[in-house]
Amino acid sequence: MPFFRSVVFQRTAVAAAFTLLAVNTSLAQTPAALPDPAATSVQALGWMQGFPPPPDKQITFDNPAGGVYPRTRWTFSHVRETVPTANVWRGPGAASPLPAATPRIDIEAVRFQPMGGGEPQTFGQMISRTYTDGILVLHRGQVVYEKYFGALTPERPHIAMSVTKSFVGTLAAILADEGTLDPSAPVTKYLPELKDTAYGDATVRQVMDMTIGVRYSENYADPKAEVFDYARAGGMLPQGPNYTGPKSFYEFLATLKKEGTHGDAFAYKTVNAEVLAWIMRRASNRSLADLLSEKIWRRIGAEQDAYFMVDRIGTESGGGGLNTVLRDIARFGETLRNGGRAPNGQQAIPKAVVEDIQRGADPAKFAKAGYALLPGWSYRNMWWVSHNPHGAYMARGIHGQSIYVDPKAEMVIVRYAAHPIAANAGNDPLTLPAFHAMGEALMKP
Amino acid sequence: MPFFRSVVFQRTAVAAAFTLLAVNTSLAQTPAALPDPAATSVQALGWMQGFPPPPDKQITFDNPAGGVYPRTRWTFSHVRETVPTANVWRGPGAASPLPAATPRIDIEAVRFQPMGGGEPQTFGQMISRTYTDGILVLHRGQVVYEKYFGALTPERPHIAMSVTKSFVGTLAAILADEGTLDPSAPVTKYLPELKDTAYGDATVRQVMDMTIGVRYSENYADPKAEVFDYARAGGMLPQGPNYTGPKSFYEFLATLKKEGTHGDAFAYKTVNAEVLAWIMRRASNRSLADLLSEKIWRRIGAEQDAYFMVDRIGTESGGGGLNTVLRDIARFGETLRNGGRAPNGQQAIPKAVVEDIQRGADPAKFAKAGYALLPGWSYRNMWWVSHNPHGAYMARGIHGQSIYVDPKAEMVIVRYAAHPIAANAGNDPLTLPAFHAMGEALMKP
């Protein structure tokens, strides 16, 4: 399925060790070496146009080509048309306001210095060169910039990839705040069936902050990496006719073995988000889709339903299966920026939960993971916390999905994208300085 | 998939020749011989409860048991969790009002005489004995009765089965009214690739009214019936590892051969709805989901998005793949009853289109199909027209899905159900007289 195929089949094109969120060794491949984004729009290339589309323009689940750029410009905005999904209801009320305002500055002209050197670039150049499908900038709760490319439109959900995890982590923090979930408890309090797995002696908090020692590789260059077993088990990759492996997320998670220790170092592994989602379901007796609807989606005044990819038995992918419209992750980001108060004025998320995310975790534990492009960062409740002078923090997903909250600049930037490189090392050298520069520019009196 | 499996695997339980909408020979099996509806709620039986659900309580696409009653009480309200789907957007506006009113009469106590004899029964007994998942009665635009059972809730979409066809037929009539589609034109004007099929010498109007002579059987008791090939091609049944047949609706439709003549007799065949949907896509260059959104869903002020099941290349099933919340098909029915004016006051559907449906077609052509329970009826624009003294007309789908419009009584009844018998012969002897009696009761001063 798009989520994983996109990574899997790019390993021929981009021979590097990916993680789902950020590459931890190499510097970014320069965008100049990749296809020109302007020449790869869905309109220009004709994917899935016509009734039926011509055979060479069809994108189907059983053909891995659909996960390879530039077809991903279509696929990432049409996930539910290829796989089963679960709805995240927005509730019966009106959408919360997201007023537009004319910015005092020329947004696209804001200049920044890319990481790793090179000529200064503009925000507009960043948008194009990082294969943006949609981008929205909020300043003090007002939309000062909003544009869509590729197959994306304001009302069409796009896959959030691992931005999903930040919703899962936030939900866990909310359940903890309510007393429904105990972060200090052992995982086995909720999931006794994981007793003989890597999680048998782990705490919920260690799962929430991804300091779990588990034998699980997300190295997409290695055909034996467990990420492929995970993806097949969850129905994100075709299982094939002779498949005998695990047939659900739960069955796969029960196979994971311990490697190393818990609590010492950050180690980014998607399975932790799936385990956390499972813990929450057991603790609340609610599905992940229902939890997200009740605790966040309805409260922030989302304008559209969201949805999760699900496995064979209807289990949502908490690791990367969420799809939303861009404006709704903007509402979520703005709610966090505003201390949990949604654009409709409601205290949608407890203030203590937001403050806990903003504070982040121990950068020393994060440093052990070796993210060269993220010096001094930490990872808390499945959020990436920069600890920079603006106190910025992010939700991040492969191919450029992101929510960037800059509290000091009173700014939120959300972006959906189809960057040919899965790892955010393809985006970060442009996007991170561009986002920070936008905050600086908007702060100027 | 649920839509078809439900029929397929009941042939062992109910050995009869089904059509997708109505059995044309036998009288109804008496409900007394079937499971007690009250004992088969999802809550009582525990389908898909827990994380994970116990193995014997799981419902999955690859296990045909999910299509057999009583599991259908879950399946019919969870279709998107098992198959790919396309969204029908409700638009950005507010839902149109559907005000509740206290009825002057005791709705559940309204009595009627079942067809085929037996004791008089009450409307309340009909609701229970026909395995209702949800039912809503509108009188003069006000909700006088609304109840949900099984797994259905007001905000959860339920599969509409062949009620889908009436949306397709209405859309075709709207496109004709706009001048986008010419009913008198040959099918090949829009679909030249069907030249050598049954549709090679048919008109669009003949497709709209299902007077096509085509070799295609919907006899579910015959394992060689073409309905199984259709369902497999469209991804509604698993294709299996060694499948070599058509892999999309379009590929299947291109195999259909002529049998008999066109224009002489009504012959209910689901493939005609698929051909009509294809014609409309070609004529409008819009997907069926987009057409339904633009021409109906947004205009009637639907409160939730709807969705279609889609095949491998994203083609919506116009024959039976629509899923909606009950209140939205109530809005649609009320819009028709009101001459095309939606509950929000907008002229959502052209008055001429509604009048054309209400007028119906030639009952003599309908009579040739031999529906013993529907004497004097006709079929127009994929609506079932009773020609009774109230001028009632219906959209009808297997297992009891229905929209019943009674213009004289200013009443609309919509119902979603999971009757163990697919053919409406299982429902009609109770539901048809119950609906008519409700109209009579509401009309009394």
Side-chain angles (χ1 to χ4, degrees):
Chain A
M1 150 52 274
F3 175 29
F4 271 92
R5 273 198 330 226
S6 61
V7 183
V8 175
F9 293 93
Q10 283 171 16
R11 69 176 189 268
T12 54
V14 186
F18 291 139
T19 74
L20 273 173
L21 277 192
V23 72
N24 62 4
T25 50
S26 66
L27 281 174
Q29 182 166 350
T30 59
L34 293 167
D36 177 10
T40 59
S41 73
V42 172
Q43 292 74 12
L45 294 176
W47 310 117
M48 294 298 275
Q49 305 299 303
F51 309 101
D56 64 331
K57 298 295 186 186
Q58 292 178 3
I59 296 177
T60 60
F61 177 70
D62 50 6
N63 181 353
V68 179
Y69 188 86
R71 284 178 176 81
T72 48
R73 293 215 103 158
W74 183 90
T75 309
F76 288 177
S77 297
H78 292 264
V79 168
R80 71 178 285 174
E81 292 157 44
T82 67
V83 292
T85 53
N87 195 52
V88 178
W89 188 38
R90 60 173 291 279
S96 61
L98 219 52
T102 306
R104 291 176 297 103
I105 59 173
D106 180 348
I107 296 289
E108 291 182 359
V110 168
R111 292 170 74 82
F112 65 92
Q113 176 62 50
M115 294 164 74
E119 290 298 304
Q121 302 201 22
T122 65
F123 197 80
Q125 287 172 317
M126 176 279 292
I127 289 172
S128 162
R129 292 175 183 177
T130 55
Y131 300 81
T132 301
D133 285 335
I135 185 165
L136 190 155
V137 181
L138 275 170
H139 185 227
R140 295 178 179 157
Q142 296 187 305
V143 180
V144 293
Y145 191 80
E146 182 179 10
K147 279 211 176 166
Y148 297 87
F149 308 87
L152 197 59
T153 59
E155 68 275 10
R156 180 171 284 286
H158 188 286
I159 187 158
M161 300 292 186
S162 293
V163 166
T164 307
K165 294 181 177 70
S166 302
F167 282 95
V168 169
T170 305
L171 282 172
I174 293 171
L175 292 187
D177 184 78
E178 292 176 1
T180 307
L181 181 70
D182 177 6
S184 69
V187 170
T188 52
K189 174 183 175 182
Y190 302 101
L191 303 175
E193 56 265 72
L194 293 189
K195 180 169 64 75
D196 298 326
T197 72
Y199 298 89
D201 61 348
T203 66
V204 174
R205 167 51 62 198
Q206 288 163 344
V207 178
M208 290 168 74
D209 293 349
M210 289 217 199
T211 59
I212 295 289
V214 53
R215 190 190 312 149
Y216 170 87
S217 164
E218 290 190 9
N219 180 350
Y220 293 92
D222 174 8
K224 292 185 181 170
E226 288 84 356
V227 64
F228 299 117
D229 302 327
Y230 159 77
R232 268 188 294 270
M236 293 161 154
L237 281 174
Q239 295 176 341
N242 302 315
Y243 181 75
T244 56
K247 285 192 146 184
S248 70
F249 289 123
Y250 298 147
E251 285 182 28
F252 176 76
L253 296 176
T255 69
L256 292 169
K257 295 300 173 196
K258 190 170 180 184
E259 186 174 77
T261 55
H262 302 322
D264 287 348
F266 170 60
Y268 181 84
K269 306 200 174 188
T270 289
V271 284
N272 292 321
E274 300 296 358
V275 168
L276 186 57
W278 193 1
I279 290 169
M280 289 195 291
R281 294 183 191 104
R282 196 60 72 71
S284 67
N285 199 32
R286 311 287 294 162
S287 72
L288 182 60
D290 284 350
L291 278 174
L292 181 56
S293 171
E294 288 174 20
K295 305 293 184 191
I296 296 180
W297 224 242
R298 294 188 220 182
R299 295 188 184 180
I300 65 173
E303 68 181 65
Q304 302 290 339
D305 291 352
Y307 65 84
F308 282 103
M309 296 163 60
V310 298
D311 70 9
R312 176 175 165 273
I313 59 168
T315 312
E316 310 91 336
S317 166
L322 183 65
N323 293 257
T324 82
V325 299
L326 187 68
R327 295 169 64 88
D328 284 336
I329 59 169
R331 286 182 170 89
F332 180 55
E334 174 64 11
T335 299
L336 293 178
R337 185 198 71 77
N338 211 12
R341 191 176 297 276
N344 55 18
Q346 188 184 349
Q347 187 71 34
I349 296 171
K351 194 157 195 283
V353 166
V354 180
E355 289 170 346
D356 185 34
I357 291 167
Q358 274 192 254
R359 259 194 311 273
D362 181 358
K365 291 184 182 177
F366 186 91
K368 294 179 185 173
Y371 289 89
L373 299 178
L374 306 175
W377 289 49
S378 72
Y379 193 79
R380 178 71 170 176
N381 295 342
M382 303 203 170
W383 284 85
W384 302 77
V385 184
S386 77
H387 300 275
N388 76 3
H390 286 199
Y393 51 100
M394 291 186 77
R396 295 157 55 84
I398 49 171
H399 300 284
Q401 325 315 322
S402 50
I403 302 173
Y404 183 93
V405 181
D406 182 333
K408 189 172 180 194
E410 302 169 279
M411 176 191 79
V412 173
I413 299 177
V414 290
R415 192 171 86 95
Y416 279 145
H419 197 295
I421 301 180
N424 270 321
N427 292 289
D428 285 344
L430 294 180
T431 51
L432 293 184
F435 294 169
H436 185 69
M438 183 59 63
E440 296 279 1
L442 290 171
M443 283 168 67
K444 279 187 187 142
Chain B
M1 165 21 285
F3 175 29
F4 272 92
R5 274 198 328 225
S6 62
V7 183
V8 174
F9 294 94
Q10 284 170 17
R11 70 175 189 270
T12 54
V14 186
F18 292 140
T19 76
L20 273 175
L21 277 192
V23 72
N24 62 2
T25 50
S26 65
L27 282 174
Q29 182 168 351
T30 59
L34 293 168
D36 176 12
T40 59
S41 73
V42 172
Q43 292 74 12
L45 293 176
W47 310 118
M48 294 298 274
Q49 304 300 302
F51 309 100
D56 63 331
K57 298 296 186 185
Q58 292 179 4
I59 296 177
T60 60
F61 177 68
D62 50 6
N63 181 354
V68 180
Y69 189 86
R71 284 178 177 81
T72 48
R73 294 216 101 159
W74 183 89
T75 309
F76 288 177
S77 297
H78 292 264
V79 168
R80 72 178 284 175
E81 292 157 45
T82 67
V83 293
T85 53
N87 196 51
V88 178
W89 189 38
R90 61 172 294 278
S96 61
L98 219 52
T102 306
R104 291 176 298 100
I105 58 173
D106 180 348
I107 295 288
E108 292 182 0
V110 168
R111 292 169 75 83
F112 65 92
Q113 177 62 51
M115 294 165 75
E119 291 296 304
Q121 301 200 21
T122 66
F123 198 80
Q125 286 171 319
M126 176 279 292
I127 289 172
S128 162
R129 290 176 184 174
T130 55
Y131 301 80
T132 301
D133 284 335
I135 185 164
L136 190 156
V137 181
L138 275 169
H139 185 227
R140 295 178 179 156
Q142 296 187 303
V143 180
V144 294
Y145 191 81
E146 182 179 8
K147 277 209 178 169
Y148 297 88
F149 308 89
L152 196 60
T153 58
E155 67 274 11
R156 179 171 284 286
H158 188 286
I159 186 157
M161 300 291 185
S162 293
V163 166
T164 307
K165 294 180 176 72
S166 302
F167 282 95
V168 169
T170 305
L171 282 172
I174 292 170
L175 291 188
D177 184 78
E178 291 177 0
T180 306
L181 181 70
D182 178 5
S184 69
V187 170
T188 52
K189 174 181 175 184
Y190 303 101
L191 303 174
E193 55 266 74
L194 293 189
K195 181 169 63 72
D196 297 325
T197 72
Y199 298 90
D201 60 349
T203 66
V204 174
R205 168 50 65 197
Q206 288 163 343
V207 177
M208 291 168 75
D209 294 348
M210 288 215 198
T211 59
I212 295 291
V214 51
R215 189 191 312 150
Y216 171 87
S217 165
E218 289 189 9
N219 179 352
Y220 293 92
D222 174 10
K224 291 184 179 168
E226 288 84 356
V227 64
F228 299 116
D229 302 328
Y230 159 77
R232 267 187 293 270
M236 294 163 152
L237 281 174
Q239 294 176 342
N242 302 316
Y243 181 75
T244 57
K247 285 193 148 183
S248 70
F249 288 123
Y250 296 147
E251 285 182 29
F252 176 75
L253 296 175
T255 70
L256 294 169
K257 295 300 173 196
K258 191 172 180 184
E259 186 175 75
T261 55
H262 302 321
D264 288 349
F266 169 59
Y268 182 84
K269 307 203 173 188
T270 290
V271 284
N272 291 320
E274 300 296 357
V275 169
L276 185 58
W278 193 1
I279 290 169
M280 289 196 291
R281 294 184 192 103
R282 197 60 71 71
S284 67
N285 198 31
R286 311 287 294 163
S287 73
L288 182 59
D290 284 349
L291 279 174
L292 181 55
S293 172
E294 286 174 21
K295 305 294 183 189
I296 297 179
W297 224 241
R298 292 187 222 183
R299 294 188 185 180
I300 65 173
E303 68 181 66
Q304 302 290 338
D305 291 352
Y307 66 84
F308 281 103
M309 295 162 61
V310 297
D311 70 9
R312 175 175 166 274
I313 59 169
T315 312
E316 311 91 335
S317 166
L322 184 64
N323 294 257
T324 82
V325 299
L326 187 68
R327 295 169 64 88
D328 284 335
I329 59 169
R331 286 183 170 87
F332 180 55
E334 175 64 11
T335 299
L336 294 178
R337 185 198 71 77
N338 211 13
R341 190 176 297 276
N344 55 18
Q346 190 184 346
Q347 188 70 35
I349 297 172
K351 195 157 193 283
V353 167
V354 180
E355 289 171 346
D356 184 35
I357 291 166
Q358 274 193 253
R359 259 194 311 273
D362 183 356
K365 290 184 182 176
F366 186 90
K368 294 179 184 173
Y371 290 88
L373 300 177
L374 306 174
W377 289 50
S378 73
Y379 193 80
R380 179 71 170 176
N381 295 342
M382 304 205 168
W383 285 85
W384 302 77
V385 184
S386 76
H387 299 276
N388 75 3
H390 287 199
Y393 52 99
M394 290 186 76
R396 295 158 54 85
I398 49 169
H399 300 285
Q401 325 315 323
S402 50
I403 302 173
Y404 184 92
V405 181
D406 182 333
K408 188 170 180 195
E410 301 170 279
M411 177 191 78
V412 173
I413 300 176
V414 290
R415 192 171 85 97
Y416 279 143
H419 197 295
I421 301 180
N424 270 322
N427 292 290
D428 285 344
L430 295 179
T431 52
L432 293 185
F435 294 170
H436 185 68
M438 184 58 62
E440 295 280 2
L442 290 170
M443 283 168 69
K444 280 188 188 140

